[in-house]
Amino acid sequence: MTPIALERAGAVKLAALPPLALYVHIPWCVRKCPYCDFNSHERTGALPEKEYLASLFHDIENHLPAVWGRRIVSIFIGGGTPSLFSPESIDALLSGVRARLQVEPHAEITLEANPGTVEAARFRGFRDAGVNRISIGVQSFDDRMLARLGRIHSAAEARKAVEAALASFDNVNLDLMYALPGQTAAMARADLEQAIACGAPHLSAYQLTIEPNTVFYSRPPELPEHDAAADMQLAAEQALGAAGYEHYETSAFARPGRRCRHNLNYWEFGDYLGIGAGAHGKISFPDRVTRHERAKQPREYMETGNSVEKTVPPAELPFAFMLNALRLVEGFEIRLFAERTGLPLTVIQNELNEGEKRELLIRDWKRIRPTERGQRFLNELLEEFLVYRRR
Ligand code: SF4
């Protein structure tokens, strides 16, 4: 099939709609970190929790027709720092969501928390509100690194937060960062050892990258060289593997049975309704895939509920699918491509052949997955499909 054929109306045909998740964005933080390019805004005074909840409920109601009759398989309350909201507000949020959407009885419900904003009682409150998974932004257990990252918490506070989370939840993720300013391989290893010793069943290890529109972009710190950063990633994979964690996505490691269901849905190109300031979403229909993005500024979002919605051009769907699915170490089942994009796999036959020839991916009758080389050079592998998009 040529790209021209893909531009024709009706080129996309989804036999069934994918699972639907809900993402809720809480856009405030105590302080903006110098590396952060998320839609997060420094808190000034008390948070307008009630007003914001009302806006979130309007948001759901305005978009109900797009998801009518569909069940929510997971909820992720991210930010920003959602743990700045009181447990009472999170309780009201989840009750309001359940009143408006059908949430599956055993849905995974994650809340992001930052050390320095949580203590044991708050975690218990979140659990009682219905949250069943906590993701903690630890980043490092080294006070020097935390200071360089502009984090508001100390290593001791991070340890305390993890301990308190594990006392209330058996499903906990720790976010760690590596290749930090002035970090050596030994320091990165020490961070990882401490994270493993905490006993959290899920760890995410992200390389610090310098993004546009951040303080680090205008005043870049000195970072470890590319090869040193790659060695840190490799050492992390080995240490976590030896400690019984499965490496299942570029940055994600989980004990058996503890993979993040919400994120797996993104990586498998599932649907998600994104509500809240700056939230993104993806909703499929039988003949098209759409994306939406809400107004970024909390005030504008609360006052207008503005949102931009667009249909993803069919020619962009293969790249969008691969951008997610090839992050999975085990790749994806072949049938998933047609199920989620509504296009036959034959539209990317040449690109798959090329990826195989360059030993970046491998396929059998059932699955397509990145090779080890493909995982290391993921951008190179993805470029194959980007070329397709531009053809
Ligand atoms: S706490 Fe997280 S979301 Fe908030 S500014 Fe720092 S990195 Fe960004």
Side-chain angles (χ1 to χ4, degrees):
M1 188 183 286
T2 66
I4 293 166
L6 284 184
E7 301 299 348
R8 279 206 316 261
V12 171
K13 279 193 180 62
L14 274 83
L17 298 180
L20 175 67
L22 175 71
Y23 174 75
V24 184
H25 194 76
I26 310 280
W28 292 281
C29 287
V30 175
R31 198 167 67 202
K32 183 84 180 171
C33 303
Y35 58 88
C36 176
D37 71 336
F38 297 150
N39 187 39
S40 59
H41 302 262
E42 226 162 87
R43 170 180 72 177
T44 51
L47 293 180
E49 299 188 28
K50 275 212 172 94
E51 195 188 341
Y52 194 70
L53 288 187
S55 306
L56 291 173
F57 297 149
H58 272 133
D59 197 343
I60 296 178
E61 284 160 14
N62 285 341
H63 296 88
L64 272 181
V67 294
W68 198 249
R70 296 177 67 183
R71 283 171 161 245
I72 300 293
V73 296
S74 63
I75 301 176
F76 196 102
I77 308 168
T81 304
S83 53
L84 287 175
F85 267 34
S86 68
E88 293 71 30
S89 290
I90 298 300
D91 187 37
L93 167 64
L94 291 174
S95 305
V97 165
R98 286 184 201 281
R100 290 164 178 84
L101 294 164
Q102 289 182 60
V103 181
E104 285 201 343
H106 300 291
E108 177 189 272
I109 303 179
T110 305
L111 178 126
E112 283 186 332
N114 276 322
T117 65
V118 270
E119 76 300 320
R122 221 170 165 81
F123 278 127
R124 281 196 296 274
F126 293 141
R127 185 193 59 201
D128 294 344
V131 172
N132 53 31
R133 185 173 183 273
I134 289 284
S135 176
I136 307 180
V138 168
Q139 316 313 354
S140 172
F141 287 102
D142 183 325
D143 281 328
R144 292 163 298 177
M145 295 297 105
L146 290 169
R148 282 178 208 165
L149 288 174
R151 300 290 298 185
I152 60 161
H153 66 267
S154 64
E157 282 173 315
R159 268 182 231 106
K160 244 173 89 179
V162 176
E163 219 172 276
L166 284 165
S168 287
F169 295 88
D170 58 359
N171 212 356
V172 174
N173 167 62
L174 308 188
D175 276 348
L176 282 184
M177 292 170 82
Y178 65 92
L180 306 178
Q183 191 179 43
T184 62
M187 289 158 83
R189 200 166 47 244
D191 258 353
L192 207 65
E193 280 164 8
Q194 294 205 51
I196 293 169
C198 288
H202 195 288
L203 293 173
S204 305
Y206 301 102
Q207 181 178 345
L208 173 64
T209 52
I210 305 295
E211 304 297 336
N213 302 317
T214 63
V215 172
F216 275 2
Y217 191 76
S218 40
R219 291 199 296 277
E222 205 167 311
L223 298 180
E225 296 290 329
H226 180 269
D227 285 355
D231 288 348
M232 287 179 193
Q233 163 82 15
L234 204 60
E237 287 170 16
Q238 283 164 354
L240 288 165
Y245 290 84
E246 297 164 346
H247 182 203
Y248 70 102
E249 184 267 349
T250 309
S251 310
F253 303 81
R255 294 222 180 269
R258 293 297 188 189
R259 295 180 182 200
C260 176
R261 279 156 36 198
H262 184 86
N263 286 343
L264 273 171
N265 187 48
Y266 288 144
W267 296 321
E268 290 179 344
F269 211 48
D271 279 358
Y272 52 104
L273 175 64
I275 60 167
H280 293 246
K282 165 187 173 276
I283 305 287
S284 303
F285 297 86
D287 61 348
R288 66 192 191 283
V289 176
T290 66
R291 291 207 186 268
H292 57 262
E293 185 183 352
R294 308 292 188 243
K296 277 194 162 162
Q297 291 300 325
R299 206 19 72 197
E300 184 192 347
Y301 172 76
M302 286 189 282
E303 281 168 9
T304 67
N306 281 347
S307 176
V308 178
E309 328 257 337
K310 61 166 196 162
T311 296
V312 183
E316 290 186 18
L317 285 170
F319 176 72
F321 176 91
M322 291 296 179
L323 187 64
N324 290 284
L326 288 177
R327 294 183 65 88
L328 292 166
V329 173
E330 290 154 16
F332 59 93
E333 280 195 33
I334 285 175
R335 59 164 182 85
L336 206 64
F337 180 84
E339 270 181 35
R340 300 292 154 89
T341 63
L343 302 168
L345 191 71
T346 45
V347 298
I348 49 164
Q349 201 57 48
N350 294 345
E351 291 70 20
L352 290 173
N353 290 346
E354 190 58 28
E356 241 179 343
K357 209 163 79 194
R358 296 175 60 201
E359 297 181 355
L360 293 169
L361 61 80
I362 196 162
R363 60 181 156 166
D364 56 28
W365 61 276
K366 204 171 173 207
R367 299 189 79 84
I368 294 175
R369 65 178 173 81
T371 58
E372 260 185 45
R373 188 174 134 76
Q375 288 171 44
R376 297 265 162 270
F377 301 99
L378 187 59
N379 286 342
E380 239 179 78
L381 173 53
L382 290 171
E383 268 168 27
E384 291 291 341
F385 300 96
L386 196 57
V387 171
Y388 168 86
R389 193 175 69 165
R390 289 195 189 120
R391 266 190 335 199

